[in-house]
Amino acid sequence: MKDRLTLGVAASALLGGALAIVLVVVWAAFWAGFTLSALWGWFIAPIFELPALSVAQAYGVTLVLGATRGYRREAKSDDSFGTVVAKGLVIPPFVAGLLLLVGWITKAWV
């Protein structure tokens, strides 16, 4: 019985970790797509008479641009899994908000 309980706890932890990773990836993807979509609509579309981008299309463009930069391996962090997930949930909207604020201020000047 103890082995089954240990196996159940391990399976729950694994499933919870996998769901946390998926949540962080989808959350970050949404914010990246939303930010590029808004900035594209404010600056690129009117200047070059291009169509607006949906959030999904903008995220695709973000992926393509990210692929051109290549992969950079960062130094290992001593952060716990929970800290990494928390940063993954907090940092994308914060960075997106800053970029949108700067874009909005710039758009007000144009």
Side-chain angles (χ1 to χ4, degrees):
M1 182 70 170
K2 186 176 181 182
D3 291 338
R4 281 186 146 178
L5 183 60
T6 304
L7 185 60
V9 170
S12 296
L14 185 62
L15 181 61
L19 287 175
I21 291 169
V22 169
L23 175 65
V24 167
V25 169
V26 169
W27 183 248
F30 167 76
W31 283 105
F34 178 75
T35 303
L36 181 60
S37 176
L39 293 173
W40 182 276
W42 290 344
F43 300 108
I44 304 300
I47 293 170
F48 298 105
E49 297 179 6
L50 295 171
L53 293 178
S54 70
V55 172
Q57 290 170 327
Y59 182 64
V61 171
T62 302
L63 288 176
V64 170
L65 294 175
T68 61
R69 292 187 342 178
Y71 176 73
R72 285 182 268 155
R73 188 173 180 178
E74 295 182 16
K76 294 199 177 201
S77 173
D78 292 336
D79 290 344
S80 69
F81 181 74
T83 303
V84 171
V85 170
K87 285 180 180 178
L89 292 175
V90 172
I91 291 174
F94 180 75
V95 171
L98 287 176
L99 290 171
L100 289 171
L101 176 64
V102 171
W104 180 73
I105 291 169
T106 304
K107 183 178 180 281
W109 284 346
V110 176

